[in-house]
Amino acid sequence: MMEKADPSQKLYTRMRLWEFPDQYVIEPTCGSTGSCLAISRVDGSMNLIDDIPQSTSVRVPKIQTIFGIIGILKLLAGSYLLVITGREHVGSYMGLPIFKVSSLKVFPCDHSLKNTPLEQKRMETEFSGLLGIAERTPGLYFSYDVNITLSAQRLHSLGDESKLLPLWRQADPRFLWNNYMLEVLIENKLDPYLLPVMQGSTRMWRRGADSDGYVANFVESEQIMQLNGHIASYVQVRGSIPILWEQIVDLTYKPKFEIMRNEEAPRVLERHFLDLRKKYGNVLAVDLVNKHGGEGRLSEKFASAVQHVASDDVRYLHFDFHRICGHVHFERLSILYDQIEDFIVKNRYLLFNEKGGKVEEQLGVVRTNCIDCLDRTNVTQSMIGRKMMEFQLRRIGVFDAEETISSHPNFDENFKILWANHGDDVSIQYSGTPALKGDFVRYGRRTVQGILNDGYNALARYYLNNFCDGTKQDAIDLLQGHYIVSVSREVTPTSQKGGLEAVASFPLALLLVLAGFFLTIMSLSQVRYDYRHVFFSTVWASMSVGIVAYVRANGRVFCNRPRLHKPRS
């Protein structure tokens, strides 16, 4: 049923990295026979060598174990080698081990910078500084043996010739995190070193769709069960509302939504659903956003545009999650399930029997969205995943016709934890915090602690979105090759800021605001004893409001970062 890659294309699973003054040398140590890879520290050029070179320096070369090469990134004058320095075995996929990156490191190949102009050197320093974010990237997974960027159904449908290709050539580029960084290694035909790494797609400041119909925060989630020799799978997808819209960060808690180029909405949406139909078959789009306010305008535009593509294989359904479920009554998702059960039953799931034969095939997919495609989406997807697993367990004879997961407490608890952890992982990659409403997914009910955690995480998201995500987005764009960095005549040096701007930061502004309001309250409490405190109350309150107004007007000051140029075609 499932086949490993051709043994002749076996990836190196453990290596030693030698740091010589003029080059890095990567030596396979996993029992595989193969040449060492030498990478110049001057310009990043590489070649294969048979032996570790003798050191010509008095200093002993530094040596460390690595578990894979993520790739090489070229900037203005230097190149940067990214390698996996720590891994954690987290499970198996079709019986083959899966690892999570626990640490990675960037090694500069930038000695040529010594001879570059000062302006170019300054910009190189700024761009290379973004790579520090790469070292902290969460949620990266890989396998040396099986292509985890493809669902079980797509992996099974690969032709015999495709199954013999190196893993990087089998990979779905949508989910290949290091696709761009592997290009140099691919050009040098270094297949044993070419390790595909996967991460759920991340949008950061992105919203909506691009002109080709590809949407922000698109995530494919596959639920796989292996039991009594059977393997069952079910795939769901999430993604931003597939029209042209944006939400510009402006320090308000919920920035306004702006719909752009209305006339292009039907074409963009048609391209999006055409791509989904090619990859997944029939599509049911479940829209969970509110019917009022800015969300309502987006929902109306989505519903209107989807009418141009609605057919037997494309359906749209709106479910006002907040109005129907509120903040605690998530059991009312049963109302939604009653409306979509016919689609789920008709479009089935993937099932292999004990002999590896395919007895069921998934014919369609549920596409779920809210605004960020995080919290409401994850609660809904976990409900659908639960219903689907119950179908599968009944089909293979483990459950009887009326049996449910909730009737088995241990199983029920593990299922909830699985989906809660999944929601947290996607949310951390996307927003920097665990998912909201996670207590319902984890425990089946809303809890006081869960509500308090949601409040804390909401504040953390506000801070990260306003003061950190811009830099993080630039780092993502750099790593993914969405921009080519260059020195442009249009680029002006970063201006030197003085006064408050020179020391301003969000924590400082927040501290000043809180201090102002605290002093206001203290002064007001003394008003009945001394009317002079009325004056001081007014002063403190005015200062607090003034600081808030200043921060809102100058929020970009606190997100100072190098700018990327030249969108990559």
Side-chain angles (χ1 to χ4, degrees):
M1 181 189 65
M2 293 293 172
E3 297 184 23
K4 296 184 181 181
D6 183 355
S8 65
Q9 305 289 350
K10 184 71 175 177
L11 289 166
Y12 297 138
T13 61
R14 184 183 292 265
M15 293 153 276
R16 272 196 292 260
L17 188 149
W18 299 68
E19 294 184 51
F20 293 97
D22 60 340
Q23 64 181 340
Y24 300 112
V25 175
I26 298 175
E27 173 195 14
T29 60
C30 53
S32 302
T33 58
S35 300
C36 300
L37 177 60
I39 303 171
S40 169
R41 297 182 70 166
V42 176
D43 58 9
S45 60
M46 57 187 67
N47 63 288
L48 294 174
I49 58 176
D50 293 328
D51 300 300
I52 300 297
Q54 295 295 318
S55 177
T56 58
S57 171
V58 176
R59 188 176 61 185
V60 177
K62 293 173 65 175
I63 306 171
Q64 72 178 91
T65 298
I66 65 172
F67 302 98
I69 300 177
I70 285 179
I72 289 183
L73 187 68
K74 288 187 175 182
L75 297 183
L76 292 173
S79 295
Y80 299 81
L81 170 68
L82 286 78
V83 300
I84 298 170
T85 54
R87 69 184 181 189
E88 176 187 356
H89 181 253
V90 292
S92 62
Y93 182 73
M94 305 303 172
L96 302 169
I98 304 299
F99 298 92
K100 182 178 182 178
V101 175
S102 57
S103 62
L104 62 86
K105 187 173 181 180
V106 177
F107 290 89
C109 309
D110 59 356
H111 289 184
S112 60
L113 273 176
K114 298 175 182 177
N115 302 316
T116 59
L118 181 62
E119 176 65 11
Q120 187 170 346
K121 189 178 298 184
R122 183 190 66 80
M123 292 189 66
E124 180 81 7
T125 300
E126 290 184 346
F127 286 126
S128 62
L130 293 174
L131 298 182
I133 295 175
E135 294 184 334
R136 302 187 297 273
T137 301
L140 300 177
Y141 295 86
F142 65 94
S143 172
Y144 302 108
D145 303 294
V146 63
N147 180 8
I148 61 174
T149 68
L150 296 183
S151 66
Q153 184 160 304
R154 292 186 65 196
L155 196 59
H156 180 265
S157 65
L158 287 178
D160 292 336
E161 291 185 3
S162 296
K163 291 176 181 177
L164 296 178
L165 294 173
L167 289 182
W168 69 267
R169 294 193 64 185
Q170 299 178 24
D172 186 332
R174 296 179 301 163
F175 307 124
L176 185 57
W177 182 75
N178 58 334
N179 192 19
Y180 176 62
M181 291 178 280
L182 286 178
E183 287 184 0
V184 176
L185 282 77
I186 292 171
E187 291 170 2
N188 285 272
K189 300 180 180 179
L190 299 169
D191 284 348
Y193 291 98
L194 286 160
L195 177 64
V197 177
M198 182 184 75
Q199 185 202 37
S201 297
T202 302
R203 68 85 189 156
M204 301 310 298
W205 276 6
R206 303 293 189 249
R207 284 290 193 269
D210 65 14
S211 58
D212 294 320
Y214 296 110
V215 297
N217 199 29
F218 185 87
V219 179
E220 177 185 280
S221 299
E222 182 178 19
Q223 176 179 286
I224 300 176
M225 176 181 67
Q226 301 179 72
L227 183 65
N228 298 339
H230 295 84
I231 297 177
S233 160
Y234 188 68
V235 170
Q236 300 182 66
V237 297
R238 65 179 78 186
S240 193
I241 293 176
I243 57 177
L244 300 172
W245 63 285
E246 64 183 10
Q247 189 178 23
I248 301 298
V249 176
D250 61 1
L251 292 179
T252 57
Y253 183 69
K254 284 190 176 181
K256 292 181 180 179
F257 307 113
E258 296 294 337
I259 299 174
M260 305 174 295
R261 307 202 298 275
N262 279 328
E263 69 281 359
E264 296 185 38
R267 178 184 59 80
V268 168
L269 186 137
E270 182 178 8
R271 288 186 176 186
H272 176 71
F273 279 96
L274 179 61
D275 182 63
L276 289 182
R277 287 165 56 196
K278 286 180 178 178
K279 290 184 171 70
Y280 301 102
N282 302 324
V283 181
L284 170 59
V286 177
D287 183 11
L288 302 173
V289 303
N290 302 336
K291 266 296 186 184
H292 61 273
E295 290 191 15
R297 289 193 297 112
L298 285 174
S299 181
E300 289 175 8
K301 177 58 66 174
F302 187 8
S304 174
V306 82
Q307 297 308 313
H308 296 275
V309 298
S311 62
D312 292 340
D313 49 11
V314 175
R315 279 176 52 190
Y316 169 85
L317 173 68
H318 179 262
F319 182 81
D320 194 330
F321 186 102
H322 283 155
R323 183 181 64 82
I324 298 172
C325 298
H327 294 289
V328 293
H329 296 294
F330 297 163
E331 72 281 356
R332 293 177 183 169
L333 279 172
S334 60
I335 299 172
L336 170 63
Y337 181 74
D338 290 341
Q339 297 174 16
I340 65 176
E341 183 179 23
D342 61 330
F343 179 91
I344 290 175
V345 171
K346 179 181 177 181
N347 287 280
R348 314 303 294 164
Y349 47 82
L350 179 68
L351 178 65
F352 296 109
N353 61 24
E354 306 96 318
K355 298 180 180 179
K358 184 169 68 174
V359 295
E360 288 282 2
E361 182 176 5
Q362 186 171 344
L363 303 175
V365 71
V366 178
R367 180 205 190 278
T368 314
N369 75 270
C370 46
I371 290 298
D372 284 336
C373 304
L374 292 181
D375 312 312
R376 288 173 276 184
T377 294
N378 202 66
V379 172
T380 303
Q381 285 196 342
S382 69
M383 178 272 290
I384 296 173
R386 172 182 288 261
K387 295 290 187 181
M388 185 51 64
M389 184 167 285
E390 290 171 347
F391 281 134
Q392 294 165 342
L393 288 168
R394 292 177 190 130
R395 174 63 188 272
I396 65 178
V398 175
F399 276 8
D400 62 32
E402 302 300 323
E403 204 167 358
T404 64
I405 291 175
S406 59
S407 61
H408 300 270
N410 289 339
F411 184 16
D412 185 50
E413 180 181 4
N414 288 327
F415 183 88
K416 290 173 181 174
I417 290 172
L418 176 73
W419 270 95
N421 290 346
H422 173 61
D424 285 346
D425 284 347
V426 174
S427 182
I428 288 169
Q429 292 173 21
Y430 177 86
S431 68
T433 75
L436 308 184
K437 306 175 178 67
D439 54 337
F440 180 82
V441 179
R442 196 175 297 274
Y443 306 115
R445 67 184 188 281
R446 294 247 60 183
T447 65
V448 173
Q449 185 61 49
I451 293 171
L452 292 175
N453 288 342
D454 282 1
Y456 173 82
N457 288 330
L459 289 174
R461 286 183 181 182
Y462 172 81
Y463 168 73
L464 293 170
N465 194 38
N466 281 284
F467 302 101
C468 299
D469 281 0
T471 302
K472 191 173 180 181
Q473 182 66 60
D474 279 351
I476 290 170
D477 287 334
L478 192 65
L479 294 170
Q480 301 299 312
H482 297 160
Y483 293 92
I484 295 176
V485 295
S486 66
V487 177
S488 171
R489 292 182 179 179
E490 298 176 0
V491 179
T492 58
T494 304
S495 61
Q496 297 297 317
K497 297 178 174 64
L500 181 59
E501 291 186 13
V503 296
S505 66
F506 178 73
L508 175 60
L510 181 61
L511 179 63
L512 291 172
V513 171
L514 292 177
F517 280 116
F518 174 76
L519 291 170
T520 302
I521 292 170
M522 292 296 292
S523 294
L524 286 172
S525 68
Q526 300 295 321
V527 164
R528 63 181 180 273
Y529 304 116
D530 186 347
Y531 284 97
R532 289 178 300 174
H533 284 282
V534 172
F535 171 75
F536 290 109
S537 299
T538 304
V539 170
W540 298 130
S542 299
M543 285 178 60
S544 300
V545 172
I547 291 170
V548 171
Y550 178 84
V551 170
R552 283 199 58 185
N554 298 276
R556 299 290 178 175
V557 171
F558 311 130
C559 199
N560 187 21
R561 63 189 191 276
R563 298 192 178 277
L564 300 171
H565 313 285
K566 273 193 179 178
R568 185 169 183 256
S569 59

